[in-house]
Amino acid sequence: MTREEARALDAADPLRSFRERFRLPEGVIYLDGNSLGALPEATVARQRDAVERQWGEQLIASWNCENWIDAPARIGARIAPLIGAAPHEVVVSDSTSVNLFKAIAGAAALRTERIILLTELGNFPSDLYVADGAAAMIAGLTLRAVPPGEVEAAIGDDTAILLLTHVHYKTGRRRDLASLTARAHAAGALVVWDLSHSAGAVPLALSADRADLAVGCGYKFLNGGPGAPAFIYAAERHHAQLRSPLQGWFGHSAPFEFRDDYAPAAGVQRFACGTPPILSLLALEAGVESFDGACMVELFAKSTRLFDLFAGEVERRCPELALVSPHNSDERGSQISFAHPNAYEICQALIAARVIGDFRAPDILRFGLTPLYLGFEDIWIAVDRLAAILAQQSWREPRFAVRAKVT
Ligand SMILES: *Cc1c(COP(=O)(O)O)cnc(C)c1O
């Protein structure tokens, strides 16, 4: 494809106007929206209003008059259609890692007669660490992490919980949520899905697929801002029995009655814990609203075309890069990853050339495909700069080998 052809695709793209909702630095091609979503233009004014007027002028009255108190449920309800859930099945709260702990402990209490918390090796580290800690703390629960290809066969009579990440953070490989959930249910187990690289990235149908519990990230594809609060989903059919292990007052049925005894709030709200970070919540709300008017099916269809252009141009112009993401769009999320022994240095050289992707140890070069604000010409330019860096071996400059704390 030529640059002109890519530009023509942008001109014909019905989603093109969405990029105007985002503030992106001139000349930068941002391929890291899977790690930190771009800044929505609306967030800037919303944050200013939240700080200056709501907090500065109205002070504590804003809990009522700006409905701060309902923000976790309100924003959860806005995330719900993006993940195929009912509005009252999602609440925004804490971080993904904390929500994972709550989901595991909540599910374990519904399966006390079973002993295994099953997950896969190579899962996102925080998921493995939280699972390990939860298993150490919950009597009778043992963590079993098996190689990815052995998960399905390992589901058995002793499985209490299957804990899986839907889209793998490194490769972008997507699990079949419906069939694995059905497989676990047939064995009598519950499933906790981590949707960090799925929410706002791929179409999801949690209700139709009979998901039990899920967690997901606010600062990646949902554009909620650095460290944005996460969400937790629980299917309505579990609401009456589920309990959070972190019984904070915001998960109480009547927090402002200040009672000594804990009584869980109705539904998923019981997974809220302490006072929510309102400024961050309002930023997340604007991030989620940046999806208004677009549906996940059309966004992912564009993502697939961006992927095909990226993969095709890399195959033609950068033969030293090995594609590690699945070719088949049904089997991947909204990213493209390549392996190369010097992925770190190449990534740094690309950033110096104003193409921002990221590196995942030990050898993965990863690019997020965010159809809300990326176009076909962006992909073309990114691969053009990548091809030049590889052809000239400019990544060998010593400055590109200096390791930063965050990659
Ligand atoms: C990004 C990510 C997380 C992040 O968890 P935090 O608690 O927000 O740091 C968790 N799990 C997966 C699979 C992720 O990709």
Side-chain angles (χ1 to χ4, degrees), residues 143-155:
L143 178 63
R144 185 167 170 222
V146 301
E150 293 171 23
V151 168
E152 204 162 341
I155 301 169

Side-chain angles (χ1 to χ4, degrees), residues 1-3 5-10 13 16 19 24-31 302 306 309-310 313 350 353-356 367-386:
M1 189 178 290
T2 64
R3 184 167 179 173
E5 286 166 337
R7 196 178 292 155
L9 291 179
D10 284 333
D13 173 13
R16 185 67 181 164
R19 82 187 273 135
L24 284 160
E26 197 56 43
V28 165
I29 299 191
Y30 191 61
L31 299 169
K302 177 174 169 188
L306 295 171
L309 172 60
F310 207 135
E313 290 299 301
L350 261 177
R354 314 203 76 198
V355 175
I356 302 177
F367 304 102
L369 303 175
T370 49
L372 283 177
Y373 50 84
L374 273 179
F376 296 92
E377 190 180 8
D378 294 324
I379 301 298
W380 193 94
I381 297 169
V383 180
D384 190 54
R385 293 184 192 164
L386 178 58

Side-chain angles (χ1 to χ4, degrees), residues 95-98 124 126-127 165 169 194 196-197 217 219-220:
S95 64
T96 305
S97 301
V98 172
F124 188 76
S126 205
D127 296 45
T165 297
Y169 72 104
D194 187 330
S196 290
H197 285 277
C217 192
Y219 52 79
K220 293 173 177 162

Side-chain angles (χ1 to χ4, degrees), residues 231-405:
F231 66 86
I232 181 164
Y233 153 93
E236 187 189 68
R237 65 182 181 282
H238 295 309
H239 283 182
Q241 297 85 41
L242 271 173
R243 287 188 76 150
S244 170
L246 300 174
Q247 299 185 157
W249 70 313
F250 271 69
H252 193 280
S253 62
F256 287 88
E257 287 179 13
F258 298 99
R259 295 206 295 260
D260 285 349
D261 298 332
Y262 176 77
V268 75
Q269 181 66 35
R270 67 189 54 185
F271 281 104
C273 184
T275 308
I278 294 296
L279 299 178
S280 298
L281 273 171
L282 297 180
L284 175 60
E285 187 164 36
V288 174
E289 284 175 12
S290 62
F291 285 81
D292 283 1
C295 79
M296 281 315 307
V297 170
E298 62 176 336
L299 284 167
F300 188 66
K302 177 174 169 188
S303 161
T304 295
R305 296 174 68 209
L306 295 171
F307 181 100
D308 290 343
L309 172 60
F310 207 135
E313 290 299 301
V314 164
E315 192 179 345
R316 196 165 65 82
R317 303 181 61 186
C318 315
E320 52 277 76
L321 295 181
L323 178 70
V324 296
S325 301
H327 273 283
N328 182 350
S329 61
D330 293 339
E331 292 168 17
R332 64 159 196 269
S334 200
Q335 68 180 69
I336 187 165
S337 303
F338 302 93
H340 187 286
N342 298 100
Y344 184 83
E345 291 85 342
I346 295 166
C347 183
Q348 294 308 305
L350 261 177
I351 292 169
R354 314 203 76 198
V355 175
I356 302 177
D358 63 22
F359 162 78
R360 285 294 172 264
D363 62 353
I364 300 286
L365 197 51
R366 183 178 76 157
F367 304 102
L369 303 175
T370 49
L372 283 177
Y373 50 84
L374 273 179
F376 296 92
E377 190 180 8
D378 294 324
I379 301 298
W380 193 94
I381 297 169
V383 180
D384 190 54
R385 293 184 192 164
L386 178 58
I389 286 164
L390 290 167
Q392 295 155 14
Q393 302 207 5
S394 57
W395 57 265
R396 289 188 190 275
E397 284 178 40
R399 64 184 169 127
F400 296 138
V402 179
R403 297 265 169 150
K405 250 191 196 170

Side-chain angles (χ1 to χ4, degrees), residues 18-230:
F18 281 83
R19 82 187 273 135
E20 280 149 36
R21 295 185 182 182
F22 294 88
R23 192 179 278 199
L24 284 160
E26 197 56 43
V28 165
I29 299 191
Y30 191 61
L31 299 169
D32 218 357
N34 56 326
S35 210
L36 174 63
L39 170 65
E41 197 58 58
T43 305
V44 179
R46 296 272 200 97
Q47 288 285 287
R48 180 179 294 271
D49 179 66
V51 171
E52 292 186 347
R53 188 181 61 83
Q54 299 184 30
W55 177 17
E57 291 171 25
Q58 295 176 176
L59 291 152
I60 202 163
S62 287
W63 279 104
N64 289 314
C65 66
E66 298 294 335
N67 243 328
W68 284 356
I69 191 72
D70 292 329
R74 181 176 74 234
I75 303 164
R78 297 213 112 197
I79 293 170
L82 294 175
I83 62 173
H88 65 286
E89 292 178 316
V90 187
V91 70
V92 172
S93 153
D94 302 312
S95 64
T96 305
S97 301
V98 172
N99 286 336
L100 265 175
F101 179 79
K102 294 187 290 192
I104 291 168
L110 302 184
R111 288 292 180 276
T112 48
E113 72 287 1
R114 289 160 174 255
I115 56 169
I116 299 294
L117 168 55
L118 178 64
T119 192
E120 67 176 20
L121 293 164
N123 198 347
F124 188 76
S126 205
D127 296 45
L128 291 172
Y129 307 156
V130 168
D132 183 47
M137 193 168 275
I138 298 169
L141 197 66
T142 300
L143 178 63
R144 185 167 170 222
V146 301
E150 293 171 23
V151 168
E152 204 162 341
I155 301 169
D157 292 348
D158 56 355
T159 311
I161 304 165
L162 174 61
L163 167 68
L164 286 176
T165 297
H166 182 226
V167 172
H168 197 270
Y169 72 104
K170 273 191 197 171
T171 62
R173 184 213 61 210
R174 192 198 321 179
R175 289 286 197 178
D176 186 333
L177 192 148
S179 82
L180 280 160
T181 300
R183 175 80 187 79
H185 287 173
L190 294 171
V191 190
V192 175
W193 286 102
D194 187 330
L195 306 176
S196 290
H197 285 277
S198 314
V202 296
L204 285 159
L206 293 193
S207 303
D209 293 344
R210 307 280 300 158
D212 299 299
L213 287 144
V215 301
C217 192
Y219 52 79
K220 293 173 177 162
F221 289 91
L222 296 182
N223 307 313

